[in-house]
Amino acid sequence: MQTSMMLEFPVDEYEARIAKLIAGMQKYGFDAVLLSSKENTRYFSGLQSIVWDSKIAVPGLLVVTANGDMTIVSSTSNQPTVKVTSCLEPDRLLAYTRTKEPGFPDTFPKAIAYALEKFKVSGGRIGMEIGTGFRVSMSYADQKALFSLIPDAEIADAAQLLWEIRRVKSPREIEVMREVCRINVASYKKGFESIVCGKTTEEELYRIMCAESFLQGAENILPLGIRCGRERYSQGNCPPSSRVIGKEPGEMMLVDGGPCYKGYYSDIIRQAVSGKPTDRQQMMYDIAVEGNNLGLSVIKAGIPASEVCRIVDGFFSSKGMDPYNRCKGWMGHGVGLDVHELPTLSMDCDVILEPGMVMALEPELFDAEIGVFGIEQNFVVTETGCELLTPAPQELMRLPM
């Protein structure tokens, strides 16, 4: 491997990741894996590109075999970027060209098939990103063309293997996660302090928080969920609108999401109310926050993810909140190169928490008449508990009218 100009971690970080991948391939009986998603290619090779959102271009596809052979397949136009961002030496890369230049395959599928033939695995068991949490970054037409070129291959789901590696963060990854969470906390502080009731719109608040995130060092930011007012309470995961914040006293406001730094995300929720909350609004908010803190208090390595959910659900039930527990059975998710990663903190998840897992806990109460209530916290699991990564104030902020 090489230390390229834009490589984000030392080479030994990628060597450790690839070693885990190869060991996992041998465990699950894969001869090779094909990794085409932005997150997995960046994780295992460092590859970066500005065209991952393109539905036409594919910046590169990483091929790794159980014997340790590796290449990144990319177009001749993308290969210079592969060279300066990834950890693979230039002589291990494979390019294709649509202009039929001599010596190069003329299509993406032909180049991938050529790599598999070169590594003598074209008839083997090939793992791809076809399970929960992943998307193959190839068109259906390219996938069909590839499969026709490797008719003896067995295509299998590599999702379990990939999540077993990525769900536990290395010490270097955790340092990056601490920084993106710091950026997020600063962004929320700036945004909430900038709101003028009756004037600031949801979209304006979003722009303020985006600007602060970039000033703090973010490379990207999620399209934040920002919702205020009764007509917006039920619209989960809705982007910000032109609606003015705090048109009337007692309107609950929620902000959900966060920035990206070196590819890693933070995802939190904080809330405010215009003027003074009603007694019931304050009560439901306090119960929701208490449920979150209870969940954090029981998290540690060795307990099932489902146990956190069971305990928080039981607490809400003891407070008479069952009818308002909109997320019953599901309390949170992993966070990393994806804003939503496995495992989940849910009743149907049998994963045992391990040190180094970075997750988000977000129990929520919902009353269509008076609001959505709850916060979201990011944390890293430790041997004896968890480290809170997002120490933003938990109190319901009161926005002056």
Side-chain angles (χ1 to χ4, degrees):
M1 290 187 177
Q2 66 162 1
T3 301
S4 60
M5 184 181 80
M6 295 179 64
L7 198 66
E8 294 172 302
F9 294 99
V11 165
D12 64 351
E13 180 80 12
Y14 298 97
E15 289 174 339
R17 296 174 183 183
I18 291 295
K20 290 178 183 178
L21 180 61
I22 291 172
M25 291 165 64
Q26 294 169 351
K27 170 185 174 182
Y28 285 103
F30 291 113
D31 296 296
V33 292
L34 305 181
L35 303 177
S36 64
S37 69
K38 171 184 176 180
E39 296 77 21
N40 282 325
T41 54
R42 191 170 185 172
Y43 181 84
F44 288 105
S45 76
L47 174 60
Q48 299 180 60
S49 173
I50 64 170
V51 296
W52 277 111
D53 290 334
S54 170
K55 301 301 185 292
I56 299 174
V58 178
L61 180 143
L62 177 64
V63 181
V64 183
T65 76
N67 293 325
D69 295 313
M70 295 172 59
T71 187
I72 294 177
V73 178
S74 65
S75 67
T76 52
S77 60
N78 279 324
Q79 194 171 76
T81 298
V82 176
K83 290 178 180 179
V84 299
T85 62
S86 80
C87 63
L88 270 68
E89 298 91 337
D91 61 1
R92 301 178 78 175
L93 305 178
L94 177 63
Y96 69 94
T97 176
R98 297 183 180 89
T99 57
K100 301 187 184 301
E101 296 175 41
F104 293 97
D106 61 1
T107 70
F108 187 35
K110 287 181 182 178
I112 299 169
Y114 174 80
L116 295 174
E117 291 166 5
K118 177 183 176 182
F119 295 149
K120 297 181 171 55
V121 293
S122 60
R125 189 165 185 260
I126 310 297
M128 293 184 68
E129 304 152 297
I130 54 179
T132 301
F134 296 118
R135 300 288 187 276
V136 177
S137 294
M138 295 174 62
S139 69
Y140 180 61
D142 277 352
Q143 290 183 57
K144 286 179 63 179
L146 172 62
F147 297 156
S148 72
L149 293 168
I150 51 171
D152 296 328
E154 175 193 351
I155 305 301
D157 179 20
Q160 182 174 350
L161 162 61
L162 297 170
W163 282 127
E164 284 180 4
I165 299 169
R166 280 183 48 194
R167 70 191 183 193
V168 176
K169 273 56 178 180
S170 71
R172 291 183 179 120
E173 287 182 281
I174 292 170
E175 281 302 309
V176 172
M177 295 295 296
R178 289 190 181 108
E179 178 61 11
V180 72
C181 287
R182 182 200 66 78
I183 293 169
N184 205 10
V185 169
S187 167
Y188 271 67
K189 181 177 186 294
K190 177 68 173 181
F192 277 53
E193 291 176 350
S194 301
I195 297 169
V196 178
C197 283
K199 181 179 179 181
T200 306
T201 68
E202 295 173 353
E203 291 171 336
E204 287 168 345
L205 175 58
Y206 173 59
R207 287 192 285 271
I208 290 168
M209 295 181 68
C210 284
E212 184 64 20
S213 292
F214 285 117
L215 288 172
Q216 292 283 340
E219 71 178 42
N220 200 356
I221 188 168
L222 293 167
L224 299 177
I226 302 179
R227 311 192 304 279
C228 181
R230 181 176 174 181
E231 75 278 16
R232 297 278 283 155
Y233 292 155
S234 66
Q235 299 164 9
N237 295 321
C238 191
S241 72
S242 59
R243 197 228 194 246
V244 171
I245 296 168
K247 292 192 292 186
E248 302 290 341
E251 290 185 338
M252 293 293 296
M253 184 196 73
L254 173 149
V255 182
D256 179 13
C260 174
Y261 172 73
K262 290 189 176 181
Y264 291 79
Y265 285 93
S266 173
D267 180 22
I268 67 174
I269 293 173
R270 289 297 186 271
Q271 291 197 263
V273 63
S274 52
K276 181 181 178 181
T278 66
D279 290 345
R280 182 162 178 80
Q281 284 176 322
Q282 187 67 60
M283 178 198 71
M284 291 188 71
Y285 181 83
D286 290 344
I287 291 172
V289 172
E290 189 176 352
N292 195 300
N293 288 331
L294 174 62
L296 290 175
S297 74
V298 302
I299 287 169
K300 65 178 180 179
I303 73 165
S306 59
E307 181 69 2
V308 181
C309 190
R310 186 191 66 78
I311 288 172
V312 177
D313 279 340
F315 169 74
F316 284 159
S317 180
S318 73
K319 295 292 185 177
M321 291 290 117
D322 258 348
Y324 309 102
N325 185 3
R326 184 158 69 168
C327 295
K328 188 172 185 177
W330 195 97
M331 293 289 162
H333 54 86
V335 189
L337 288 168
D338 277 306
V339 68
H340 289 168
E341 294 190 349
L342 295 181
T344 57
L345 296 169
S346 61
M347 292 304 296
D348 60 358
C349 180
D350 59 3
V351 170
I352 304 299
L353 297 185
E354 301 176 60
M357 288 182 171
V358 178
M359 308 191 76
L361 179 64
E362 51 177 334
E364 174 187 287
L365 299 176
F366 171 67
D367 184 320
E369 298 300 316
I370 63 172
V372 180
F373 304 94
I375 62 173
E376 182 175 12
Q377 298 279 45
N378 296 169
F379 62 90
V380 56
V381 178
T382 68
E383 289 284 0
T384 58
C386 69
E387 174 192 343
L388 182 64
L389 301 178
T390 48
Q394 298 184 11
E395 295 79 14
L396 178 61
M397 182 175 181
R398 299 187 181 191
L399 304 172
M401 294 295 293

